[in-house]
Amino acid sequence: MAIRFPPISALRALESAARHLNFTRAAEELCVTQSAVSHQIKHAEALWGLKLFEKRGRHIILTEAGHALVPVIRDFIRRVTLTVEDLSEKTDGPAALRVTLLQSFAFKWLVHRLGHFNQDYPDIDVWISTTDNLVDFDAENADVGIRLGYGNWNNLHEELLLTEYVFPVCSPQFLKEHPMPGKPAELLKLPLLRRSAVDICPRWRNWFRDAGVSVRRMPSGTKFPQTSLAVQAAIDHQGVALARSAHVLDDLNAGRLVRLFPEVLSRSSVSYFFVCVPGRENERQIAAFREWLLREAKKSQKEFDRMMGLSKPATAPRLQSPPNKRRRVSRMSRSPRSP
């Protein structure tokens, strides 16, 4: 059956009348007459052969068909509005720089530093896109990315941003409620907050190995899909999380978290890199963001190294990643070739 669609004015009248359950109020909102709203709704009902409203005394209510259609119409209007606004911003507003990266890194490190970039470059709008899945560089229309991995990606310009350390953390309150572990093996008696994702990030077993503890079987405990969620649970006194420096630097400085066993130096096998398509790194917007990002990362790296008691900056273990023939940006994956 071919479906005929009423004009957008009829859909707006229908959505407004459904929200107010009153034709007069809908007319006032849309700056038209009450009879115009009634006419538009009757037109839609006639096209679809459906009754959308019915009277109950002095009031109107949605019919079953109205209840089914209104959410769809509302979502359609919202999507069209947002899309048009975005397209208008691209045409009339400041130039947009599209940055893609892991959600956890955006939340725990990048976002609260972006204000400094916005102050220095008010003519560049930074559009953040986050996901833990692989992103095709060209298909996603991204300009730059922050990628977590080993480096040496084919078909991408890359620059090392941050080499991280891995260590257990918990809240000060948690230590008041539980005995302070005297040696790394005693952590196994405490609730450990773990990651459920299978990816290239260091795990508890890696840290215990570096601490000289042989673990035959990890204890049961709460698992999270992202490190940032495990860290937040640690802040909320729920247990001990295995943290990476970029995720907890600010929380440690603010006293929300405490680092356990500072004598154990465990370096992450993966690092953060700035990436973009080769040849674009010197474009004005990208170059501005890249240079700012490198400065901010250098500050953080110095803090990481100071926190770990190192006088010299760390260098990341650079493992050769398998060939990656497609241009992909930022993200963890299930194999060492992808961030």
Side-chain angles (χ1 to χ4, degrees):
M1 180 179 78
I3 303 297
R4 298 179 63 192
F5 291 94
I8 189 67
S9 57
L11 298 180
R12 292 183 63 213
L14 173 56
E15 189 281 329
S16 182
R19 189 160 20 90
H20 294 289
L21 292 178
N22 187 294
F23 285 6
T24 301
R25 290 180 185 173
E28 292 172 354
E29 179 179 272
L30 300 173
C31 298
V32 297
T33 64
Q34 187 269 347
S35 61
V37 170
S38 178
H39 174 76
Q40 293 281 15
I41 291 173
K42 286 180 180 178
H43 180 51
E45 290 177 327
L47 282 176
W48 291 335
L50 298 169
K51 188 72 173 173
L52 303 176
F53 292 92
E54 63 183 21
K55 286 188 177 182
R56 288 285 177 86
R58 306 173 97 184
H59 305 284
I60 61 170
I61 63 171
L62 283 168
T63 63
E64 184 178 351
H67 276 294
L69 278 169
V70 165
V72 178
I73 293 169
R74 184 170 293 142
D75 184 63
F76 167 75
I77 293 173
R78 181 185 65 84
R79 286 173 178 269
V80 170
T81 301
L82 291 175
T83 300
V84 171
E85 288 177 352
D86 287 346
L87 292 173
S88 297
E89 288 178 2
K90 287 182 181 179
T91 304
D92 303 326
L97 179 70
R98 293 154 298 189
V99 182
T100 180
L101 71 163
L102 286 169
Q103 184 180 44
S104 57
F105 188 73
F107 176 66
K108 298 300 291 186
W109 191 88
L110 179 65
V111 169
H112 70 276
R113 290 174 169 81
L114 270 180
H116 301 148
F117 179 81
N118 295 333
Q119 290 174 1
D120 293 341
Y121 299 94
D123 62 325
I124 301 176
D125 278 352
V126 178
W127 292 7
I128 299 294
S129 172
T130 65
T131 177
D132 289 352
N133 299 321
L134 284 175
V135 171
D136 185 282
F137 201 98
D138 297 317
E140 291 295 322
N141 220 10
D143 295 307
V144 303
I146 300 174
R147 174 177 278 194
L148 178 66
Y150 302 125
N152 297 333
W153 292 288
N154 290 353
N155 301 324
L156 285 177
H157 169 85
E158 66 179 59
E159 295 181 60
L160 177 65
L161 289 177
L162 290 169
T163 295
E164 291 191 301
Y165 304 97
V166 183
F167 43 82
V169 295
C170 65
S171 70
Q173 182 64 35
F174 181 83
L175 289 179
K176 292 179 181 179
E177 299 170 355
H178 298 79
M180 168 70 84
K183 53 185 179 180
E186 293 179 4
L187 283 176
L188 294 168
K189 301 176 183 178
L190 297 175
L192 299 184
L193 307 169
R194 301 163 60 190
R195 285 177 52 85
S196 57
V198 179
D199 52 42
I200 59 177
C201 293
R203 310 184 78 78
W204 271 111
R205 284 186 181 275
N206 303 120
W207 185 86
F208 278 119
R209 180 200 61 213
D210 292 346
V213 179
S214 176
V215 181
R216 297 183 62 184
R217 183 173 182 177
M218 289 293 296
S220 59
T222 308
K223 291 187 177 182
F224 300 89
Q226 297 173 352
T227 302
S228 58
L229 295 178
V231 168
Q232 185 58 51
I235 293 173
D236 293 335
H237 328 305
Q238 296 178 29
V240 182
L242 184 65
R244 305 202 306 274
S245 8
H247 286 203
V248 294
L249 178 62
D250 297 328
D251 294 317
L252 288 169
N253 289 336
R256 291 184 289 269
L257 289 173
V258 175
R259 177 186 166 204
L260 301 176
F261 301 106
E263 69 276 9
V264 178
L265 180 63
S266 184
R267 215 170 262 171
S268 174
S269 59
V270 290
S271 303
Y272 287 102
F273 295 81
F274 168 88
V275 296
C276 68
V277 173
R280 296 199 64 195
E281 64 271 16
N282 293 320
E283 292 180 10
R284 191 188 73 84
Q285 293 180 73
I286 293 178
F289 185 76
R290 175 175 60 86
E291 291 168 6
W292 170 82
L293 194 64
L294 289 168
R295 288 196 302 270
E296 291 294 320
K298 186 176 181 180
K299 295 176 188 175
S300 291
Q301 189 68 65
K302 285 183 178 179
E303 288 197 70
F304 295 171
D305 298 335
R306 176 188 55 78
M307 180 174 60
M308 301 302 290
L310 298 176
S311 58
K312 294 182 179 180
T315 56
R318 296 297 300 274
L319 304 182
Q320 178 66 42
S321 56
N324 185 359
K325 294 183 180 180
R326 301 185 69 189
R327 291 174 179 168
R328 297 188 181 276
V329 182
S330 168
R331 328 293 194 206
M332 295 182 302
S333 82
R334 299 175 184 270
S335 72
R337 77 177 213 171
S338 309

